[in-house]
Every structure is written in C-alpha cells, then in structure tokens.
Amino acid sequence: MTFHLTSISGHKARACLAALALALSSTVALAAEKLQYFTWSGYELPDFNKSFLAAHPDGVEASIFGDDDDAFTKVKAGFRPDIAHPCYDKVARWNKEGLLQPIETKRIKNWDSIFPVFKNLPDLQAGDGKVWMVPWDWGNTSILYRTDLVKNPEASWNLLWDKQYAGRMATIDAVHDTPIVAALLAGVNPFDMTPEQMDKVAAKLREQRPLLSSYTTDMTSVEQALASGQLVAAMTWNASATSLKKQGVPVEFMKPKEGMLTWACGFVMLKDAKNVDLAYDFINSRLDADSGKFLIQSYGYGSSLSTAFAGVAKDELEKLQLPSDPEVMLKSTIFTGPMKQNDDVAKMFEKVKAGG
C-alpha cells in the first residue's frame, strides 16, 4: 500500500498516516495471535486439532523439521515457535539450554487420562504441578521388509547388515535410531557409552554403511521404494507399516529378538512463546480422545491417552501391533531415553556416514 501525501493537507496527511499505522498494527496483532507450531511432517494435519480450529479458525501455522535434532539446532540458533514437538529423549537437552518454560498440568484438561508410564517420566517433571513436556504420541522403530522378497528372515536387527541385500536396504538418519541399534548388536548400552564402547559401535556402523542405499528420514520415499521393490528392507516407524499394508503391499513390521525401539514424543512450550493461552488451547485440543483415535487409526502410532485407545476395537489394535496399555509393549522393547553422550555419538555417526 502506497500513500502520496504531497497534495493532501496536513491534517489529512496525519489522518492517513494514523490509519496506516492502525492497519499495520492490526496485521501484526493478527500474526501474533496465530500459534506457531514446530513439528514432524504429517503431524500438522488439522484432523488432530479440530476443536482448536473451531475456536480459532486459521489459528495455527506449522513449520516442519526433519527430526528433533534438526529442531533443536534451529531453536538453539534463534528460531522461536510457541510450541515444538520433540521426543522425550531430547527434552533434557532443550531444558539445559534454557529453551523451555514449564507447562501447568492443571491447565491440561485430560492430563489424568495420560498413561502414568508417560506422564511420570523423570525428565518431564518441573515440580509443583508442572512438566516440561506433555506426552502425546508414542510408537516403535523396527525393520519393515517385503515378505515376498525376504523369505523367513531371522527376527533380528542383523537383517540390516545382511550382505545378500546390499544396496536394497535403508536406515533412519537419526542418532536415536541407527546408532542405538548398532550399539545393541555390539553388546553396548546405547544410552551410556565409554569411548572404547563407542569405537565398537562405530565399527558396527562402518560394517553396515556399504550395504545401504541411503540414510534418510524421508519415510515417503522409503515407502515408495519398498512398494516398488527397489528396497527390500528398511528401518521405519509404525506409520510406514500401516500405510503400505493399507495399499496391499506384502510387508511385515519385524519384532527383533533384540527388541524394537519404543519412543514417546509430545509438546513443549518455548520460553519466549508469544501465544501462551493459544498454546494451552492447542494442547488441549490435541488431547481430545478423537485426536488420539485418529492418530492410532491413521498412522498406527500409540496415543498417550487411555481414552483414545478405548475408542479403537481390539482386533484393529492387534492388526496395528499396538497393545491398549503401552506398559505391555515396554516389557519387550527398548525405550529410547536420553543418551548421555548424545553429541559425541552424533559426531561419530556423521563421520561414519561421510566414510570415516
């Protein structure tokens, strides 16, 4: 908008400038009132927060990250959303950097419906009825393989090290996935390694590197490659198994004898959040039982809410390989908690991927 003031009298000019200032301030106010949400691809869907959008039409703007290491780097560098969606194992790092503000559980309407195993996680507690993260989703990481192309494999993570499938396998490009599996196979505690143990993990990763077609977090491309047969096996999350089975692709989501990886993620509020009330409205909308039910049925991920599981039939949960109580799952899986040497493992992993 451009104003030409040369032919306008002084008081009219001042009036025009005042009107312009008012318009600009209104635009800024509207922008400030739109919740800024930083999340994984696929989690920005409006179906997850229908009640929020009913109360605040067009009230959220989502930015997408590749994984929560990428998210941490961007937020640490100065990007400031209101709400972000990291996983539990990263929350302590965000908190250590002073990036978060506590969330009051009394303002979370369905807090009591969250499974105790998630809401009582140690690094979430901020004292006095407050937490650093509100758990929302959980799921598993495992090997998704073509049952017609990989015949009766041993139920083991070693499949992703099998030389007969060289060039037709992919793995997840994230510190809390592939290095953890390499550590399990090397007989090392993934969450607390000595330098010597880290060398063992690096050696295991180097052994795998020439067998892979890619390290990636692009699950859409992985699913397409599995569907076409370009890939025969890949490390994925539940959602890829759910998606390909719905398409009729002959795949199986393995239960490795060493254990699937189980993760839990949720919402954190940034210290400098400009829209705190909107943030609470958004979190509460995401904690509607229907939101959790949509998560379960669409992606095959678990909801943090017992009320969401109550709305899904038992046989459907069995097809999705989801128990109605996550504590049942955790008895046979590896829960991905904080890694004490996260930064060192990340550097090692980058070096290995680069050929070092």
Side-chain angles (χ1 to χ4, degrees):
M1 182 185 297
T2 303
F3 282 93
H4 298 282
L5 302 179
T6 53
S7 61
I8 304 177
S9 63
H11 71 279
K12 288 184 178 180
R14 287 191 293 273
C16 288
L17 287 171
L20 176 60
L22 179 61
L24 289 173
S25 64
S26 298
T27 300
V28 171
L30 285 172
E33 289 172 4
K34 183 175 285 194
L35 183 78
Q36 301 299 311
Y37 174 42
F38 198 26
T39 190
W40 307 80
S41 177
Y43 278 177
E44 76 281 10
L45 300 184
D47 303 80
F48 289 128
N49 40 261
K50 288 182 177 180
S51 61
F52 176 86
L53 291 174
H56 311 284
D58 195 31
V60 59
E61 183 174 315
S63 301
I64 306 302
F65 54 71
D67 65 22
D68 47 6
D69 286 316
D70 170 44
F72 174 76
T73 300
K74 290 178 179 177
V75 172
K76 187 178 176 182
F79 179 55
R80 288 293 182 270
D82 296 304
I83 288 181
H85 194 154
C87 291
Y88 164 67
D89 59 299
K90 298 297 191 298
V91 172
R93 295 182 73 210
W94 290 56
N95 202 13
K96 184 179 178 181
E97 291 293 329
L99 300 173
L100 307 179
Q101 62 173 291
I103 296 172
E104 298 179 32
T105 58
K106 67 182 180 182
R107 295 187 66 178
I108 305 301
K109 66 179 183 181
N110 284 329
W111 178 255
D112 289 341
S113 296
I114 296 176
F115 289 107
V117 69
F118 296 129
K119 67 181 180 182
N120 294 329
L121 287 168
D123 286 333
L124 301 193
Q125 310 311 311
D128 193 26
K130 297 177 181 179
V131 292
W132 297 112
M133 183 185 90
V134 175
W136 185 67
D137 57 313
W138 62 275
N140 297 313
T141 302
S142 189
I143 300 172
L144 186 62
Y145 66 95
R146 285 282 299 263
T147 55
D148 56 333
L149 302 176
V150 181
K151 300 290 187 178
N152 302 313
E154 178 187 15
S156 171
W157 283 108
N158 280 310
L159 176 59
L160 293 181
W161 274 258
D162 193 328
K163 293 179 181 178
Q164 68 177 307
Y165 302 117
R168 302 183 72 188
M169 300 182 292
T171 195
I172 295 177
D173 187 8
V175 176
H176 48 272
D177 289 300
T178 299
I180 287 180
V181 170
L184 292 174
L185 294 178
V188 170
N189 178 357
F191 308 107
D192 190 7
M193 306 181 206
T194 66
E196 293 76 20
Q197 290 172 330
M198 200 175 300
D199 288 341
K200 288 184 179 180
V201 176
K204 194 67 181 174
L205 289 168
R206 289 190 193 97
E207 181 186 327
Q208 183 191 41
R209 185 183 60 221
L211 307 177
L212 298 174
S213 69
S214 65
Y215 298 92
T216 183
T217 56
D218 182 359
M219 290 297 110
T220 299
S221 295
V222 169
E223 290 164 22
Q224 291 170 349
L226 282 167
S228 70
Q230 179 184 348
L231 291 178
V232 299
M235 181 189 286
T236 72
W237 303 303
N238 309 56
S240 295
T242 301
S243 175
L244 289 181
K245 286 181 178 180
K246 286 179 178 179
Q247 296 173 43
V249 180
V251 292
E252 187 63 35
F253 199 52
M254 183 185 284
K255 292 183 178 180
K257 62 183 180 182
E258 301 87 2
M260 291 181 176
L261 307 184
T262 297
W263 42 263
C265 308
F267 306 117
V268 296
M269 197 180 304
L270 277 294
K271 186 177 182 179
D272 301 323
K274 295 181 175 63
N275 300 295
V276 171
D277 290 337
L278 279 180
Y280 278 105
D281 288 351
F282 181 82
I283 293 171
N284 282 324
S285 179
R286 289 274 170 140
L287 288 175
D288 285 339
D290 285 346
S291 173
K293 181 180 177 181
F294 181 77
L295 175 69
I296 293 169
Q297 295 180 319
S298 299
Y299 289 170
Y301 292 145
S303 167
S304 66
L305 296 169
S306 58
T307 50
F309 274 91
V312 182
K314 184 179 178 181
D315 62 338
E316 186 173 1
L317 291 175
E318 289 175 353
K319 289 178 183 177
L320 294 170
Q321 296 179 274
L322 281 178
S324 57
D325 183 348
E327 292 199 53
V328 173
M329 178 71 74
L330 290 170
K331 289 177 181 178
S332 62
T333 64
I334 308 298
F335 186 65
T336 52
M339 300 172 73
K340 289 186 178 180
Q341 294 80 27
N342 187 93
D343 292 347
D344 292 335
V345 174
K347 290 175 184 176
M348 176 270 286
F349 189 36
E350 289 301 317
K351 182 177 180 181
V352 169
K353 288 188 297 178

